[in-house]
Amino acid sequence: SIIRDDATHLWIATRGGGLNRFNVQTEKFHAFRFTPNNPNALSSDDILCLYKDQKGYLWAGTSLGLNKLTKYKDHQPVFIHFTEKEGLPNNTIHGILEDNQNNLWLSTNKGIAKIIKEKKSFRIIAYNKKDGLQNNEFSDGAFYKNTTNETFYFGGISGFNVFKPLE
């Protein structure tokens, strides 16, 4: 996954190499990796998807949970983590989209999760095959938001789901 950070930087996700910030002018990389015993580091170097929300925060979906880049401290990023412990249906995050109410929608290996961001906390609602999903397991990179009609598409191992998140 590759997304723009600002006018001179790209975020590049890797499968096993962590998160990289690439300066397109200097053509130099700065790598951010999982560090054991560091609660502010990435939860995993296996990053499956990236998303930049409407407020400018970077979200990284990994095989070991969701990571939100909150700030920099001493030139190092500070990530907060969302995992099954916080209520996600699964730690493998294949896709991330945001609706018009700033809620995040994640496709996982056990359904879709909606993260409702509240003032100083969050709430998670999980949906699975019993709720009408094509299957509980979704696929890497198979997500799309049609901004014209606010329709989400999430692809999985048995097809794909189409829905309007506010409905």
PDB file of all heavy atoms in Angstrom, residues 78-104:
ATOM      1  N   VAL A  78       4.631   7.892  17.419  1.00  0.00           N
ATOM      2  CA  VAL A  78       3.920   7.250  18.525  1.00  0.00           C
ATOM      3  C   VAL A  78       2.643   6.659  17.956  1.00  0.00           C
ATOM      4  O   VAL A  78       1.799   7.378  17.415  1.00  0.00           O
ATOM      5  CB  VAL A  78       3.601   8.256  19.653  1.00  0.00           C
ATOM      6  CG1 VAL A  78       2.747   7.611  20.732  1.00  0.00           C
ATOM      7  CG2 VAL A  78       4.884   8.828  20.228  1.00  0.00           C
ATOM      8  N   PHE A  79       2.520   5.346  18.040  1.00  0.00           N
ATOM      9  CA  PHE A  79       1.348   4.639  17.533  1.00  0.00           C
ATOM     10  C   PHE A  79       0.498   4.150  18.698  1.00  0.00           C
ATOM     11  O   PHE A  79       1.035   3.736  19.731  1.00  0.00           O
ATOM     12  CB  PHE A  79       1.771   3.409  16.713  1.00  0.00           C
ATOM     13  CG  PHE A  79       2.457   3.736  15.431  1.00  0.00           C
ATOM     14  CD1 PHE A  79       3.841   3.780  15.366  1.00  0.00           C
ATOM     15  CD2 PHE A  79       1.727   3.990  14.275  1.00  0.00           C
ATOM     16  CE1 PHE A  79       4.488   4.072  14.167  1.00  0.00           C
ATOM     17  CE2 PHE A  79       2.361   4.285  13.082  1.00  0.00           C
ATOM     18  CZ  PHE A  79       3.749   4.321  13.025  1.00  0.00           C
ATOM     19  N   ILE A  80      -0.818   4.212  18.522  1.00  0.00           N
ATOM     20  CA  ILE A  80      -1.705   3.512  19.442  1.00  0.00           C
ATOM     21  C   ILE A  80      -2.275   2.329  18.676  1.00  0.00           C
ATOM     22  O   ILE A  80      -2.383   2.365  17.445  1.00  0.00           O
ATOM     23  CB  ILE A  80      -2.809   4.408  20.035  1.00  0.00           C
ATOM     24  CG1 ILE A  80      -3.700   5.015  18.951  1.00  0.00           C
ATOM     25  CG2 ILE A  80      -2.211   5.486  20.907  1.00  0.00           C
ATOM     26  CD1 ILE A  80      -4.911   5.714  19.509  1.00  0.00           C
ATOM     27  N   HIS A  81      -2.614   1.271  19.413  1.00  0.00           N
ATOM     28  CA  HIS A  81      -2.999   0.015  18.779  1.00  0.00           C
ATOM     29  C   HIS A  81      -4.437  -0.367  19.100  1.00  0.00           C
ATOM     30  O   HIS A  81      -4.914  -0.126  20.201  1.00  0.00           O
ATOM     31  CB  HIS A  81      -2.081  -1.111  19.257  1.00  0.00           C
ATOM     32  CG  HIS A  81      -0.632  -0.769  19.142  1.00  0.00           C
ATOM     33  ND1 HIS A  81       0.182  -0.670  20.242  1.00  0.00           N
ATOM     34  CD2 HIS A  81       0.140  -0.466  18.077  1.00  0.00           C
ATOM     35  CE1 HIS A  81       1.404  -0.342  19.853  1.00  0.00           C
ATOM     36  NE2 HIS A  81       1.402  -0.210  18.542  1.00  0.00           N
ATOM     37  N   PHE A  82      -5.089  -0.974  18.113  1.00  0.00           N
ATOM     38  CA  PHE A  82      -6.414  -1.545  18.280  1.00  0.00           C
ATOM     39  C   PHE A  82      -6.303  -3.012  17.872  1.00  0.00           C
ATOM     40  O   PHE A  82      -5.857  -3.307  16.765  1.00  0.00           O
ATOM     41  CB  PHE A  82      -7.435  -0.843  17.375  1.00  0.00           C
ATOM     42  CG  PHE A  82      -7.627   0.615  17.698  1.00  0.00           C
ATOM     43  CD1 PHE A  82      -6.753   1.566  17.193  1.00  0.00           C
ATOM     44  CD2 PHE A  82      -8.673   1.031  18.492  1.00  0.00           C
ATOM     45  CE1 PHE A  82      -6.920   2.913  17.479  1.00  0.00           C
ATOM     46  CE2 PHE A  82      -8.855   2.377  18.786  1.00  0.00           C
ATOM     47  CZ  PHE A  82      -7.978   3.317  18.273  1.00  0.00           C
ATOM     48  N   THR A  83      -6.699  -3.901  18.774  1.00  0.00           N
ATOM     49  CA  THR A  83      -6.602  -5.332  18.525  1.00  0.00           C
ATOM     50  C   THR A  83      -7.890  -6.009  18.993  1.00  0.00           C
ATOM     51  O   THR A  83      -8.857  -5.340  19.370  1.00  0.00           O
ATOM     52  CB  THR A  83      -5.400  -5.944  19.261  1.00  0.00           C
ATOM     53  OG1 THR A  83      -5.626  -5.818  20.672  1.00  0.00           O
ATOM     54  CG2 THR A  83      -4.092  -5.263  18.883  1.00  0.00           C
ATOM     55  N   GLU A  84      -7.865  -7.327  19.009  1.00  0.00           N
ATOM     56  CA  GLU A  84      -8.998  -8.085  19.529  1.00  0.00           C
ATOM     57  C   GLU A  84      -9.268  -7.720  20.992  1.00  0.00           C
ATOM     58  O   GLU A  84     -10.413  -7.744  21.429  1.00  0.00           O
ATOM     59  CB  GLU A  84      -8.737  -9.582  19.394  1.00  0.00           C
ATOM     60  CG  GLU A  84      -8.737 -10.053  17.953  1.00  0.00           C
ATOM     61  CD  GLU A  84      -8.370 -11.522  17.795  1.00  0.00           C
ATOM     62  OE1 GLU A  84      -8.461 -12.284  18.786  1.00  0.00           O
ATOM     63  OE2 GLU A  84      -7.991 -11.908  16.682  1.00  0.00           O
ATOM     64  N   LYS A  85      -8.233  -7.343  21.734  1.00  0.00           N
ATOM     65  CA  LYS A  85      -8.420  -6.939  23.137  1.00  0.00           C
ATOM     66  C   LYS A  85      -9.336  -5.727  23.255  1.00  0.00           C
ATOM     67  O   LYS A  85     -10.066  -5.589  24.216  1.00  0.00           O
ATOM     68  CB  LYS A  85      -7.073  -6.622  23.790  1.00  0.00           C
ATOM     69  CG  LYS A  85      -6.260  -7.833  24.150  1.00  0.00           C
ATOM     70  CD  LYS A  85      -5.096  -7.462  25.056  1.00  0.00           C
ATOM     71  CE  LYS A  85      -3.915  -7.075  24.203  1.00  0.00           C
ATOM     72  NZ  LYS A  85      -2.704  -6.797  24.965  1.00  0.00           N
ATOM     73  N   GLU A  86      -9.276  -4.831  22.252  1.00  0.00           N
ATOM     74  CA  GLU A  86     -10.119  -3.637  22.274  1.00  0.00           C
ATOM     75  C   GLU A  86     -11.479  -3.883  21.611  1.00  0.00           C
ATOM     76  O   GLU A  86     -12.302  -2.978  21.563  1.00  0.00           O
ATOM     77  CB  GLU A  86      -9.417  -2.464  21.560  1.00  0.00           C
ATOM     78  CG  GLU A  86      -8.278  -1.844  22.339  1.00  0.00           C
ATOM     79  CD  GLU A  86      -7.019  -2.696  22.346  1.00  0.00           C
ATOM     80  OE1 GLU A  86      -6.704  -3.352  21.327  1.00  0.00           O
ATOM     81  OE2 GLU A  86      -6.366  -2.730  23.396  1.00  0.00           O
ATOM     82  N   GLY A  87     -11.693  -5.074  21.068  1.00  0.00           N
ATOM     83  CA  GLY A  87     -12.994  -5.398  20.496  1.00  0.00           C
ATOM     84  C   GLY A  87     -13.024  -5.679  19.006  1.00  0.00           C
ATOM     85  O   GLY A  87     -14.097  -5.936  18.451  1.00  0.00           O
ATOM     86  N   LEU A  88     -11.870  -5.636  18.335  1.00  0.00           N
ATOM     87  CA  LEU A  88     -11.869  -5.990  16.916  1.00  0.00           C
ATOM     88  C   LEU A  88     -12.218  -7.465  16.762  1.00  0.00           C
ATOM     89  O   LEU A  88     -11.833  -8.287  17.603  1.00  0.00           O
ATOM     90  CB  LEU A  88     -10.500  -5.717  16.286  1.00  0.00           C
ATOM     91  CG  LEU A  88     -10.071  -4.268  16.127  1.00  0.00           C
ATOM     92  CD1 LEU A  88      -8.691  -4.191  15.478  1.00  0.00           C
ATOM     93  CD2 LEU A  88     -11.081  -3.477  15.321  1.00  0.00           C
ATOM     94  N   PRO A  89     -12.910  -7.844  15.675  1.00  0.00           N
ATOM     95  CA  PRO A  89     -13.234  -9.256  15.483  1.00  0.00           C
ATOM     96  C   PRO A  89     -12.007 -10.107  15.173  1.00  0.00           C
ATOM     97  O   PRO A  89     -12.014 -11.314  15.386  1.00  0.00           O
ATOM     98  CB  PRO A  89     -14.218  -9.252  14.311  1.00  0.00           C
ATOM     99  CG  PRO A  89     -13.977  -7.969  13.607  1.00  0.00           C
ATOM    100  CD  PRO A  89     -13.492  -6.999  14.642  1.00  0.00           C
ATOM    101  N   ASN A  90     -10.954  -9.470  14.654  1.00  0.00           N
ATOM    102  CA  ASN A  90      -9.729 -10.172  14.281  1.00  0.00           C
ATOM    103  C   ASN A  90      -8.612  -9.158  14.159  1.00  0.00           C
ATOM    104  O   ASN A  90      -8.854  -7.986  13.884  1.00  0.00           O
ATOM    105  CB  ASN A  90      -9.952 -10.910  12.952  1.00  0.00           C
ATOM    106  CG  ASN A  90      -8.770 -11.743  12.539  1.00  0.00           C
ATOM    107  OD1 ASN A  90      -8.014 -11.348  11.663  1.00  0.00           O
ATOM    108  ND2 ASN A  90      -8.590 -12.905  13.162  1.00  0.00           N
ATOM    109  N   ASN A  91      -7.369  -9.590  14.330  1.00  0.00           N
ATOM    110  CA  ASN A  91      -6.218  -8.684  14.261  1.00  0.00           C
ATOM    111  C   ASN A  91      -5.691  -8.453  12.855  1.00  0.00           C
ATOM    112  O   ASN A  91      -4.883  -7.550  12.642  1.00  0.00           O
ATOM    113  CB  ASN A  91      -5.083  -9.205  15.142  1.00  0.00           C
ATOM    114  CG  ASN A  91      -5.358  -8.997  16.610  1.00  0.00           C
ATOM    115  OD1 ASN A  91      -6.109  -8.112  16.999  1.00  0.00           O
ATOM    116  ND2 ASN A  91      -4.765  -9.831  17.439  1.00  0.00           N
ATOM    117  N   THR A  92      -6.099  -9.249  11.872  1.00  0.00           N
ATOM    118  CA  THR A  92      -5.625  -9.063  10.501  1.00  0.00           C
ATOM    119  C   THR A  92      -6.514  -8.045   9.803  1.00  0.00           C
ATOM    120  O   THR A  92      -7.690  -8.311   9.563  1.00  0.00           O
ATOM    121  CB  THR A  92      -5.615 -10.394   9.737  1.00  0.00           C
ATOM    122  OG1 THR A  92      -4.791 -11.319  10.448  1.00  0.00           O
ATOM    123  CG2 THR A  92      -5.072 -10.218   8.328  1.00  0.00           C
ATOM    124  N   ILE A  93      -5.937  -6.889   9.476  1.00  0.00           N
ATOM    125  CA  ILE A  93      -6.697  -5.785   8.873  1.00  0.00           C
ATOM    126  C   ILE A  93      -6.349  -5.700   7.393  1.00  0.00           C
ATOM    127  O   ILE A  93      -5.239  -5.333   7.017  1.00  0.00           O
ATOM    128  CB  ILE A  93      -6.368  -4.439   9.565  1.00  0.00           C
ATOM    129  CG1 ILE A  93      -6.441  -4.556  11.094  1.00  0.00           C
ATOM    130  CG2 ILE A  93      -7.267  -3.334   9.023  1.00  0.00           C
ATOM    131  CD1 ILE A  93      -7.770  -4.980  11.648  1.00  0.00           C
ATOM    132  N   HIS A  94      -7.322  -6.033   6.532  1.00  0.00           N
ATOM    133  CA  HIS A  94      -7.096  -6.048   5.084  1.00  0.00           C
ATOM    134  C   HIS A  94      -7.410  -4.711   4.413  1.00  0.00           C
ATOM    135  O   HIS A  94      -6.837  -4.388   3.381  1.00  0.00           O
ATOM    136  CB  HIS A  94      -7.941  -7.135   4.429  1.00  0.00           C
ATOM    137  CG  HIS A  94      -7.572  -8.516   4.842  1.00  0.00           C
ATOM    138  ND1 HIS A  94      -6.407  -9.125   4.441  1.00  0.00           N
ATOM    139  CD2 HIS A  94      -8.203  -9.416   5.634  1.00  0.00           C
ATOM    140  CE1 HIS A  94      -6.341 -10.341   4.948  1.00  0.00           C
ATOM    141  NE2 HIS A  94      -7.422 -10.538   5.692  1.00  0.00           N
ATOM    142  N   GLY A  95      -8.367  -3.957   4.947  1.00  0.00           N
ATOM    143  CA  GLY A  95      -8.774  -2.704   4.320  1.00  0.00           C
ATOM    144  C   GLY A  95      -9.333  -1.734   5.337  1.00  0.00           C
ATOM    145  O   GLY A  95      -9.882  -2.141   6.367  1.00  0.00           O
ATOM    146  N   ILE A  96      -9.196  -0.435   5.034  1.00  0.00           N
ATOM    147  CA  ILE A  96      -9.674   0.633   5.922  1.00  0.00           C
ATOM    148  C   ILE A  96     -10.375   1.680   5.081  1.00  0.00           C
ATOM    149  O   ILE A  96      -9.811   2.183   4.108  1.00  0.00           O
ATOM    150  CB  ILE A  96      -8.513   1.318   6.676  1.00  0.00           C
ATOM    151  CG1 ILE A  96      -7.644   0.307   7.408  1.00  0.00           C
ATOM    152  CG2 ILE A  96      -9.042   2.401   7.623  1.00  0.00           C
ATOM    153  CD1 ILE A  96      -6.317   0.874   7.908  1.00  0.00           C
ATOM    154  N   LEU A  97     -11.614   2.031   5.450  1.00  0.00           N
ATOM    155  CA  LEU A  97     -12.343   3.129   4.825  1.00  0.00           C
ATOM    156  C   LEU A  97     -12.962   3.988   5.921  1.00  0.00           C
ATOM    157  O   LEU A  97     -13.129   3.539   7.047  1.00  0.00           O
ATOM    158  CB  LEU A  97     -13.443   2.601   3.890  1.00  0.00           C
ATOM    159  CG  LEU A  97     -12.983   1.858   2.645  1.00  0.00           C
ATOM    160  CD1 LEU A  97     -14.180   1.272   1.902  1.00  0.00           C
ATOM    161  CD2 LEU A  97     -12.163   2.763   1.732  1.00  0.00           C
ATOM    162  N   GLU A  98     -13.341   5.218   5.562  1.00  0.00           N
ATOM    163  CA  GLU A  98     -13.942   6.149   6.520  1.00  0.00           C
ATOM    164  C   GLU A  98     -15.245   6.679   5.945  1.00  0.00           C
ATOM    165  O   GLU A  98     -15.292   7.091   4.786  1.00  0.00           O
ATOM    166  CB  GLU A  98     -12.964   7.294   6.791  1.00  0.00           C
ATOM    167  CG  GLU A  98     -13.433   8.292   7.816  1.00  0.00           C
ATOM    168  CD  GLU A  98     -12.391   9.370   8.085  1.00  0.00           C
ATOM    169  OE1 GLU A  98     -11.507   9.596   7.231  1.00  0.00           O
ATOM    170  OE2 GLU A  98     -12.468   9.995   9.149  1.00  0.00           O
ATOM    171  N   ASP A  99     -16.297   6.689   6.769  1.00  0.00           N
ATOM    172  CA  ASP A  99     -17.571   7.232   6.302  1.00  0.00           C
ATOM    173  C   ASP A  99     -17.638   8.735   6.571  1.00  0.00           C
ATOM    174  O   ASP A  99     -16.701   9.323   7.131  1.00  0.00           O
ATOM    175  CB  ASP A  99     -18.758   6.456   6.887  1.00  0.00           C
ATOM    176  CG  ASP A  99     -18.911   6.601   8.405  1.00  0.00           C
ATOM    177  OD1 ASP A  99     -18.507   7.635   8.974  1.00  0.00           O
ATOM    178  OD2 ASP A  99     -19.460   5.654   9.017  1.00  0.00           O
ATOM    179  N   ASN A 100     -18.745   9.364   6.195  1.00  0.00           N
ATOM    180  CA  ASN A 100     -18.881  10.819   6.331  1.00  0.00           C
ATOM    181  C   ASN A 100     -19.089  11.280   7.774  1.00  0.00           C
ATOM    182  O   ASN A 100     -19.151  12.474   8.033  1.00  0.00           O
ATOM    183  CB  ASN A 100     -20.020  11.334   5.457  1.00  0.00           C
ATOM    184  CG  ASN A 100     -19.617  11.378   4.000  1.00  0.00           C
ATOM    185  OD1 ASN A 100     -18.438  11.284   3.668  1.00  0.00           O
ATOM    186  ND2 ASN A 100     -20.581  11.518   3.112  1.00  0.00           N
ATOM    187  N   GLN A 101     -19.225  10.327   8.708  1.00  0.00           N
ATOM    188  CA  GLN A 101     -19.320  10.686  10.124  1.00  0.00           C
ATOM    189  C   GLN A 101     -18.010  10.373  10.854  1.00  0.00           C
ATOM    190  O   GLN A 101     -17.977  10.302  12.069  1.00  0.00           O
ATOM    191  CB  GLN A 101     -20.495   9.947  10.770  1.00  0.00           C
ATOM    192  CG  GLN A 101     -21.825  10.419  10.231  1.00  0.00           C
ATOM    193  CD  GLN A 101     -23.003   9.684  10.859  1.00  0.00           C
ATOM    194  OE1 GLN A 101     -22.856   8.602  11.425  1.00  0.00           O
ATOM    195  NE2 GLN A 101     -24.167  10.274  10.750  1.00  0.00           N
ATOM    196  N   ASN A 102     -16.947  10.172  10.085  1.00  0.00           N
ATOM    197  CA  ASN A 102     -15.595   9.911  10.597  1.00  0.00           C
ATOM    198  C   ASN A 102     -15.446   8.566  11.300  1.00  0.00           C
ATOM    199  O   ASN A 102     -14.512   8.367  12.071  1.00  0.00           O
ATOM    200  CB  ASN A 102     -15.098  11.033  11.511  1.00  0.00           C
ATOM    201  CG  ASN A 102     -15.087  12.372  10.821  1.00  0.00           C
ATOM    202  OD1 ASN A 102     -15.901  13.221  11.127  1.00  0.00           O
ATOM    203  ND2 ASN A 102     -14.200  12.550   9.880  1.00  0.00           N
ATOM    204  N   ASN A 103     -16.351   7.628  11.036  1.00  0.00           N
ATOM    205  CA  ASN A 103     -16.199   6.270  11.551  1.00  0.00           C
ATOM    206  C   ASN A 103     -15.310   5.493  10.598  1.00  0.00           C
ATOM    207  O   ASN A 103     -15.412   5.647   9.381  1.00  0.00           O
ATOM    208  CB  ASN A 103     -17.553   5.564  11.648  1.00  0.00           C
ATOM    209  CG  ASN A 103     -18.519   6.301  12.533  1.00  0.00           C
ATOM    210  OD1 ASN A 103     -18.193   6.636  13.666  1.00  0.00           O
ATOM    211  ND2 ASN A 103     -19.702   6.578  12.024  1.00  0.00           N
ATOM    212  N   LEU A 104     -14.448   4.647  11.150  1.00  0.00           N
ATOM    213  CA  LEU A 104     -13.606   3.788  10.328  1.00  0.00           C
ATOM    214  C   LEU A 104     -14.277   2.433  10.163  1.00  0.00           C
ATOM    215  O   LEU A 104     -14.915   1.927  11.090  1.00  0.00           O
ATOM    216  CB  LEU A 104     -12.235   3.588  10.973  1.00  0.00           C
ATOM    217  CG  LEU A 104     -11.316   4.795  11.014  1.00  0.00           C
ATOM    218  CD1 LEU A 104      -9.993   4.411  11.645  1.00  0.00           C
ATOM    219  CD2 LEU A 104     -11.094   5.382   9.643  1.00  0.00           C
TER     220      LEU A 104
END
